[in-house]
Amino acid sequence: MEEFEDFGFVEREELMISPSGEGEPTFRSAHFLQPTVTSIDGPVFEIPNHCISSIPPTFEPKNWPLEATLFWALQFFRVSKEELKRIEQKLNQAKKELNRSASKKASYGQWMKKFMGTGLDFEHEAFLALWLSSFVFPVSSPVIVEAVFPIAIHMSRGTRIALAPPILASIYRDLVQIWAWERFIEFRPKANLINIGEPRCAQWHKQNTGVGNVRTVLDSARVSFDWRPYVKTLKNWKLPEFYAEKEMCVWVDADLPEEFGSFALCLRTSELVGIDCVEHYLPHRVAMQFGMDQDLPACVARANDAPHVVWSCYCKPITCEKLYIRPQLFEAVVTT
């Protein structure tokens, strides 16, 4: 048995079977994401009954709430507390003035009129606040989000900030339309052709579809569910490096390509600091999404620490010797 402790990889011989339960079990070498239970009597994660019963009878994502306030987490600081407070107060004052105007809100358009071309010493911070509010942390109403002001100020000073974890944490609290369209064939509308340079999700831009009973689709998806939609090639879209044709072990050192480092973080159990929340991230419960075989997932206790402590744990260095990558089109299976 070979283990990769930092990311909880483990390789062992197991009796494996198709996730649909069809076919005969086969004894073979399998790769798992830890932690898994060591015996059938171990503590296994169970979905609470109220989560199952709360599945809506109709698929209406436009009616789901998305409003949130932002908790920001930074790894480096290049602006003094005094400077941060001074500019934040100016941005807050600008938003209050717009809230007292005829429009009664700091909309994107009103914000642009107020700052564009003014030459104010915080015009750049105002632009970044608009960008963050509009494209990174949008809420249900198209207005400037006050909680992004500290991030905008730090970004204007060249502070490198990882925006993916807070975005992912907020996504975890809301069902993702694209996630469903990529994995459930019955949900999918006709995809758009991606233009060169566009992200993969552009194929679903301005698309819409209706599903009469989402529960029926979920119940019937045992065979048709697509565990790894992103390993499939699309015209004008470049596959990431870690979706290789053959399996590989990548040495984790200073020369590790950035794409592999990002993929490695996706395989590590952690907690994500994000939109007014700290969300548990447990890839070992959905190991087949990463091409790994699925074993019974063990429970993982929450850290219950302050957000800045959780953030430091997420950013801890990669210390394992090598990263195991499954072949691009490998079809993972489950233990009996």
Side-chain angles (χ1 to χ4, degrees):
M1 180 174 68
E2 185 174 6
E3 294 195 33
F4 304 86
E5 184 63 31
D6 191 65
F7 294 101
F9 298 142
V10 62
E11 178 183 357
R12 66 173 183 264
E13 298 293 323
E14 282 281 355
L15 192 60
M16 309 297 291
I17 194 169
S18 163
S20 66
E22 299 176 351
E24 293 295 323
T26 304
F27 195 73
R28 70 163 175 81
S29 179
H31 291 83
F32 303 106
L33 289 179
Q34 296 284 64
T36 58
V37 297
T38 55
S39 73
I40 197 65
D41 298 321
V44 182
F45 173 83
E46 295 181 0
I47 300 177
N49 289 331
H50 74 273
C51 292
I52 299 176
S53 61
S54 64
I55 297 176
T58 57
F59 193 63
E60 298 178 343
K62 289 185 178 180
N63 297 331
W64 298 337
L66 290 174
E67 280 202 42
T69 55
L70 176 69
F71 177 88
W72 55 279
L74 301 174
Q75 191 174 1
F76 306 105
F77 296 88
R78 296 184 182 179
V79 57
S80 67
K81 291 183 179 179
E82 294 75 16
E83 182 75 356
L84 175 66
K85 185 176 181 180
R86 181 183 71 83
I87 300 177
E88 191 173 357
Q89 286 177 342
K90 288 187 176 183
L91 293 171
N92 282 325
Q93 180 60 33
K95 183 176 181 181
K96 289 178 181 178
E97 291 174 1
L98 289 176
N99 287 337
R100 292 195 295 264
S101 67
S103 64
K104 301 295 183 181
K105 62 181 180 179
S107 66
Y108 300 155
Q110 293 298 322
W111 191 263
M112 290 176 66
K113 289 180 181 179
K114 187 173 185 64
F115 288 103
M116 185 176 289
T118 60
L120 292 171
D121 63 347
F122 59 101
E123 181 183 355
H124 186 49
E125 289 86 341
F127 163 74
L128 289 172
L130 170 65
W131 177 74
L132 289 165
S133 299
S134 179
F135 298 106
V136 184
F137 303 111
V139 293
S140 58
S141 179
V143 296
I144 300 299
V145 179
E146 184 177 323
V148 305
F149 291 164
I151 296 181
I153 297 168
H154 279 282
M155 289 181 67
S156 70
R157 301 304 193 276
T159 304
R160 187 174 182 181
I161 304 172
L163 297 177
I167 294 172
L168 185 58
S170 64
I171 288 175
Y172 260 51
R173 297 206 305 184
D174 306 291
L175 179 62
V176 181
Q177 179 74 75
I178 293 176
W179 186 93
W181 283 349
E182 289 279 6
R183 289 165 173 79
F184 292 93
I185 297 175
E186 293 85 353
F187 285 167
R188 293 176 187 168
K190 183 178 179 180
N192 299 316
L193 176 65
I194 296 177
N195 295 320
I196 296 176
E198 286 185 332
R200 182 188 174 93
C201 61
Q203 66 177 322
W204 309 118
H205 182 55
K206 293 186 178 180
Q207 294 288 42
N208 194 17
T209 187
V211 176
N213 192 318
V214 67
R215 188 190 298 272
T216 301
V217 174
L218 295 176
D219 289 344
S220 63
R222 182 176 64 174
V223 177
S224 62
F225 184 81
D226 192 345
W227 280 97
R228 303 182 74 198
Y230 303 119
V231 304
K232 297 176 175 61
T233 57
L234 292 178
K235 186 176 181 180
N236 297 332
W237 183 68
K238 180 180 178 295
L239 276 171
E241 291 182 63
F242 48 77
Y243 290 146
E245 184 178 346
K246 298 180 180 180
E247 69 176 354
M248 65 172 75
C249 279
V250 181
W251 290 100
V252 178
D253 52 28
D255 297 325
L256 181 69
E258 186 175 354
E259 280 194 356
F260 286 96
S262 298
F263 183 67
L265 287 177
C266 293
L267 302 178
R268 184 164 66 184
T269 297
S270 61
E271 288 181 291
L272 306 175
V273 179
I275 307 296
D276 194 29
C277 62
V278 176
E279 291 294 330
H280 230 158
Y281 177 66
L282 305 172
H284 70 300
R285 281 171 26 192
V286 288
M288 292 175 65
Q289 287 192 166
F290 305 101
M292 299 292 177
D293 299 305
Q294 184 67 58
D295 198 2
L296 284 173
C299 296
V300 177
R302 278 191 172 274
N304 291 324
D305 285 317
H308 71 278
V309 176
V310 175
W311 181 258
S312 64
C313 292
Y314 175 84
C315 295
K316 68 181 181 180
I318 300 173
T319 58
C320 67
E321 290 186 355
K322 52 188 174 180
L323 176 65
Y324 175 71
I325 305 292
R326 272 284 169 85
Q328 174 188 347
L329 299 181
F330 179 83
E331 295 186 4
V333 291
V334 301
T335 56
T336 53

